[in-house]
Amino acid sequence: MATAVDAPAAPTPPRRNRSRLTLRNTFIGWTFILPNFIGFAVLTLVPVIALFYIAFTSWNAFGQANWIGLENFSRLLTDGTFHTALFNTGYYAALHIPLTLAASLGLALLLNHKMRGIAFFRTVAFFPYITSIVAIAVVWNMLFSPDSGPINQFLMALGLDNPPGWTTSSTWAMPAVVLTSVWREMGYYMLLFLAGLQAIPRELYEAARVDGANAVQRFWNVTVPSLRPTTFFVTVILTIQSFKVLDLILVMTDGGPGTSTLVLAQYIYRKGFEENDFGYASAVAVVLFFICLGLTVVQFLLNKRKEV
Amino acid sequence: MKRTMLTGAAALAATALTLTACSGGDDTGSGGEGDASNVDSISLAGWSLSTTPEFQVLADAYNEQNPDVTVELKEYDATEYDTQMVADLAAGSAPDMYVLKNLKNFVTYEDGGQLLDVSDVVSEIDGDLAGIDAYTVDGTTYAVPYRQDAWYLYYNKDLFDEAGVDYPDGSWTWDDYAENAEELSDALGGDALGTYQHSWQSTLQGFANAQDPEADVLSGNWEYLVPWYERVLELQENDAQMSFGAITTNSVTYQSQFGTQQAAMMPMGSWYVATLLAQQESGDAEEFDWGFAPAPQMDASTTETPVTFADPTGIGVNPAVDADTAAAAKDFLAFVASEDAATALAEIGITPAVTNEAVTETFFSIEGIPTDETSQFTFSTHEVLPENPVSADTATLQNILNDAHSEILSGGSSPEDAIADAMDRAQSEVLG
């Protein structure tokens, strides 16, 4: 009995102790995030801030960067190749985002059933994502080869007389790159959709069934609304990824034929590291940054409006 | 005991270096005042050291003559060499001397003040050193070439014999070349194609810029390229040459095309001599009889001294080094320009910047190398022009021309249209 009475008094520490404890906890918390934050600050934050400064200068990597104000940005207005790269990036995103969304959602729905070997199929679908991008580019380039490639052989067997030239044609190079990147990335987004699908309560489907909803109705009225947070997340990440695309294009077409697959990220690379015009390259990077930022903000606003 | 002494020496050396660096100030570049005998090691940048032995060969040959000085190599990535070097120079961590891998980026280093004036080394060189002019800006020389490649026409004697076509003898124009390529393709009936021109812009624009009297990359007037492209397109259409699309989509390598006898001829740089010999030795290339002839010419007027192209490869000195190291580095550069260095390089199949009878003899004593008269003439007699003019605009103009190159050869536009587009781009983005 006595202990029970005493007990509440015991854990009340003096005030100074509590603040020391808070301090200690905060300190421990900081030590956990500090290594990551230092890395972020040194490798990301500082370079990004520097980028905004360099964009207003003329700098060739050596010596002083000369402040030239808005000159780089006014040069962008009349730079035809920049406009081509901007258009190509938009074109890539416009094809890549909806196709990847549809393909990864489709895969997730398909692999959300209980069946034999499901783990195997999920692994197979995820496999392209962890494969080296250079290997992917080499293999898909061969598949797309206009005369001897299996894709055109197949199309010709189907009776198509004049199959597209894919990566060797200015018209078809971008669709070819998009197809490859959809194939590569759908497994990753499938995984996110699978997690979303499994979080949907079974009862919703049961209730819908009791109300007489068929499969299509259940998909549109239960699955799609319940997946909205996942879809939103996937769309935001996909949009940013699409506008930043570089590696696949660099190894698959190197921007060609001509400038038909030249995207903004490659244009930045060219201007900066090939032509040593770091000021101008930074200006293009700033534009790309604001495009990504703007689109993300718009998506957040749209998502918020839907939520209300 | 030994270790403590070494550490002590290193600490002393480091202090000495810091002190000289501080006192040296801005006048380290003036040269002449440093004492090379105070230096026991200098560093040199190179790339892919295991497969590119030339740097080690130079270092060893120098060390043999100067046992007190070691040349330490610092390895860089071959494809990202210039990016990494720019970063290292800007960060102050670059080696004492570095190789200028191509002429396109020479201007970046020169314009950025990253090369020490080495005119005094050059003034003491007697004899002819190819490529020195390319490194000279307004009378000041910034690098000493050790290697001067040149593009040749390689040919497979076995396939020529099989097709019953006469070997190239150095009198060929590009029209002769095209004609023979088609004849070879027909005669070989699918076993091999007449020729192989790799997908690089050099394989076409390099020759055009060197040989065409109207050629001027920096002017932005590139109409002269049109007939050059028409000729290659015709070769593709007539199946005398693999199509550009097939090369790029199948990641075809030129070594496999010529080395496994898929093509009877191939225009390629002189570095391929050593590669082909090594690949025939290792089995990566088939055994067959081959030779090299001068590159085909624009017309017959230049066949006596055939005009070809290739950038020199030179070594420059990092201006951040102290006076003593600069003196040691200049001593190394003087060696690089010597016949001894050239002979050492020729032994491993590199075409040195110094060519004379002794060097030629060394080169053709390599086991397996074709020793016929045409090959010897090709090696010793030619006028090599740099692939790229030295200018701040070169890299940008080359990129625009490269876009036109892939556009035309993939069949996206006619040569006239693509070149006209490229000229518009050059005007509005670079020259205008």
Side-chain angles (χ1 to χ4, degrees):
Chain A
M1 237 350 232
T3 43
V5 174
D6 286 346
T12 321
R15 218 174 147 238
R16 203 202 291 156
N17 258 4
R18 183 183 282 169
S19 70
R20 260 183 71 184
L21 190 71
T22 321
L23 210 71
R24 203 178 122 88
N25 279 343
T26 317
F27 178 71
I28 291 173
W30 271 102
T31 55
F32 276 120
I33 60 164
L34 208 60
N36 182 31
F37 187 76
I38 289 176
F40 166 76
V42 172
L43 299 173
T44 309
L45 194 62
V46 172
V48 167
I49 293 168
L51 170 89
F52 279 89
Y53 172 71
I54 296 168
F56 292 94
T57 66
S58 156
W59 188 51
N60 70 353
F62 300 121
Q64 286 287 303
N66 300 319
W67 183 266
I68 53 166
L70 289 169
E71 208 174 289
N72 285 331
F73 292 94
S74 62
R75 192 174 141 197
L76 283 177
L77 294 177
T78 55
D79 181 348
T81 312
F82 168 71
H83 298 158
T84 310
L86 190 63
F87 173 81
N88 287 344
T89 313
Y91 180 29
Y92 175 86
L95 281 180
H96 182 245
I97 299 169
L99 280 175
T100 312
L101 261 183
S104 54
L105 181 58
L107 259 184
L109 290 169
L110 209 64
L111 295 177
N112 195 30
H113 294 288
K114 283 205 173 68
M115 59 174 176
R116 278 172 76 94
I118 189 75
F120 171 76
F121 289 116
R122 282 179 188 167
T123 313
V124 168
F126 190 67
F127 222 73
Y129 191 71
I130 51 169
T131 307
S132 147
I133 200 142
V134 177
I136 288 177
V138 169
V139 170
W140 275 90
N141 248 333
M142 285 184 185
L143 294 176
F144 280 128
S145 191
D147 298 321
S148 53
I151 292 175
N152 274 2
Q153 299 275 349
F154 177 72
L155 289 176
M156 283 194 267
L158 286 182
L160 210 69
D161 290 333
N162 217 346
W166 300 113
T167 50
T168 66
S169 136
S170 310
T171 325
W172 286 96
M174 193 56 101
V177 173
V178 169
L179 274 178
T180 311
S181 75
V182 168
W183 173 83
R184 176 176 180 261
E185 285 168 26
M186 64 185 179
Y188 175 70
Y189 295 108
M190 169 205 76
L191 218 61
L192 299 179
F193 275 124
L194 266 179
L197 282 174
Q198 281 168 6
I200 302 175
R202 293 273 124 212
E203 301 85 58
L204 291 180
Y205 288 106
E206 277 161 28
R209 236 187 231 121
V210 170
D211 289 344
N214 62 24
V216 177
Q217 285 169 324
R218 285 200 300 275
F219 173 73
W220 285 111
N221 298 311
V222 180
T223 313
V224 171
S226 310
L227 269 183
R228 211 162 57 81
T230 315
T231 317
F232 172 65
F233 176 72
V234 168
T235 316
V236 170
I237 299 291
L238 248 178
T239 310
I240 297 174
Q241 293 278 352
S242 302
F243 275 88
K244 279 174 27 184
V245 64
L246 169 71
D247 42 11
L248 187 69
I249 288 193
L250 210 58
V251 282
M252 224 175 141
T253 62
D254 193 22
T259 50
S260 59
T261 53
L262 180 73
V263 286
L264 283 179
Q266 195 191 353
Y267 194 57
I268 295 168
Y269 178 82
R270 260 194 197 182
K271 285 290 159 195
F273 295 105
E274 288 181 14
E275 298 170 15
N276 286 302
D277 194 349
F278 286 97
Y280 191 55
S282 301
V284 183
V286 165
V287 171
L288 181 57
F289 174 82
F290 279 110
I291 290 175
C292 289
L293 187 73
L295 286 170
T296 311
V297 168
V298 167
Q299 283 171 331
F300 266 92
L301 290 177
L302 284 176
N303 188 50
K304 215 166 202 175
R305 191 186 287 171
K306 270 190 208 158
E307 247 168 23
V308 173
Chain B
M1 171 75 179
K2 223 172 190 176
R3 183 174 289 177
T4 41
M5 271 179 68
L6 259 176
T7 324
L12 257 175
T15 325
L17 276 174
T18 327
L19 283 174
T20 43
C22 290
S23 61
D26 287 334
D27 60 0
T28 48
S30 53
E33 61 206 64
D35 186 357
S37 61
N38 292 338
V39 179
D40 53 13
S41 137
I42 39 175
S43 54
L44 168 69
W47 57 86
S48 312
L49 298 182
S50 60
T51 51
T52 319
E54 61 201 65
F55 313 115
Q56 193 62 54
V57 164
L58 281 176
D60 290 346
Y62 181 71
N63 190 239
E64 209 169 282
Q65 291 189 1
N66 305 271
D68 300 336
V69 185
T70 333
V71 181
E72 281 168 14
L73 298 181
K74 184 176 178 193
E75 183 162 16
Y76 284 83
D77 179 70
T79 45
E80 294 300 323
Y81 178 80
D82 282 306
T83 312
Q84 292 179 352
M85 188 55 66
V86 166
D88 270 7
L89 284 166
S93 57
D96 305 332
M97 300 176 290
Y98 59 100
V99 179
L100 297 158
K101 200 169 186 235
N102 55 53
L103 218 45
K104 190 164 75 174
N105 287 317
F106 163 66
V107 69
T108 310
Y109 300 114
E110 185 269 315
D111 194 45
Q114 299 303 311
L115 286 166
L116 203 65
D117 176 357
V118 293
S119 307
D120 47 344
V121 178
V122 177
S123 65
E124 284 167 25
I125 297 171
D126 37 57
D128 208 20
L129 193 62
I132 202 90
D133 293 345
Y135 294 124
T136 307
V137 181
D138 298 332
T140 309
T141 307
Y142 292 97
V144 174
Y146 68 92
R147 167 177 180 168
Q148 174 65 64
D149 285 300
W151 279 62
Y152 305 150
L153 179 67
Y154 292 82
Y155 63 100
N156 183 323
K157 291 180 181 170
D158 291 355
L159 289 177
F160 267 73
D161 291 342
E162 190 185 324
V165 177
D166 290 338
Y167 299 158
D169 55 3
S171 69
W172 283 13
T173 63
W174 285 100
D175 289 330
D176 297 331
Y177 158 83
E179 215 171 275
N180 279 293
E182 286 176 26
E183 204 181 319
L184 283 159
S185 267
D186 289 343
L188 295 168
D191 290 341
L193 294 178
T195 188
Y196 178 80
Q197 271 174 258
H198 197 53
S199 55
W200 301 330
Q201 72 191 110
S202 315
T203 57
L204 191 148
Q205 293 176 9
F207 287 116
N209 293 336
Q211 296 177 355
D212 205 312
E214 284 170 46
D216 184 359
V217 174
L218 297 177
S219 71
N221 290 323
W222 298 328
E223 282 115 343
Y224 65 89
L225 287 170
V226 172
W228 290 83
Y229 275 104
E230 281 167 347
R231 188 184 299 118
V232 174
L233 285 175
E234 210 176 294
L235 283 174
Q236 288 192 21
E237 272 161 34
N238 297 338
D239 286 327
Q241 141 84 24
M242 187 185 267
S243 77
F244 182 78
I247 298 172
T248 53
T249 55
N250 296 310
S251 313
V252 171
T253 65
Y254 68 85
Q255 294 94 335
S256 72
Q257 284 304 299
F258 193 77
T260 60
Q261 310 198 67
Q262 305 292 309
M265 295 188 284
M266 178 171 77
M268 187 47 65
S270 46
W271 59 82
Y272 184 57
V273 172
T275 312
L276 183 53
L277 287 173
Q279 291 195 333
Q280 285 195 324
E281 177 86 30
S282 70
D284 289 333
E286 293 172 7
E287 282 296 328
F288 58 88
D289 214 8
W290 55 279
F292 48 93
Q297 299 293 302
M298 183 87 177
D299 54 52
S301 68
T302 48
T303 44
E304 265 179 40
T305 311
V307 179
T308 184
F309 76 98
D311 283 353
T313 315
I315 299 179
V317 182
N318 182 350
V321 298
D322 62 80
D324 290 346
T325 311
K330 284 179 179 176
D331 191 53
F332 179 75
L333 291 191
F335 168 76
V336 156
S338 70
E339 189 185 310
D340 291 342
T343 315
L345 289 168
E347 270 170 24
I348 58 163
I350 300 285
T351 42
V354 180
T355 15
N356 54 30
E357 260 173 54
V359 172
T360 309
E361 203 176 301
T362 313
F363 189 81
F364 284 96
S365 63
I366 300 173
E367 203 190 318
I369 203 163
T371 50
D372 57 274
E373 217 170 281
T374 312
S375 297
Q376 300 225 21
F377 171 79
T378 310
F379 179 83
S380 56
T381 316
H382 48 229
E383 184 190 354
V384 191
L385 298 176
E387 177 171 2
N388 299 298
V390 174
S391 154
D393 293 334
T394 303
T396 317
L397 294 174
Q398 286 290 331
N399 271 340
I400 293 174
L401 279 168
N402 195 32
D403 289 338
H405 180 76
S406 66
E407 177 82 20
I408 297 169
L409 289 185
S410 63
S413 305
S414 69
E416 288 90 358
D417 293 349
I419 294 292
D421 273 356
M423 284 167 57
D424 286 346
R425 275 181 69 191
Q427 276 308 325
S428 76
E429 290 165 30
V430 189
L431 306 166

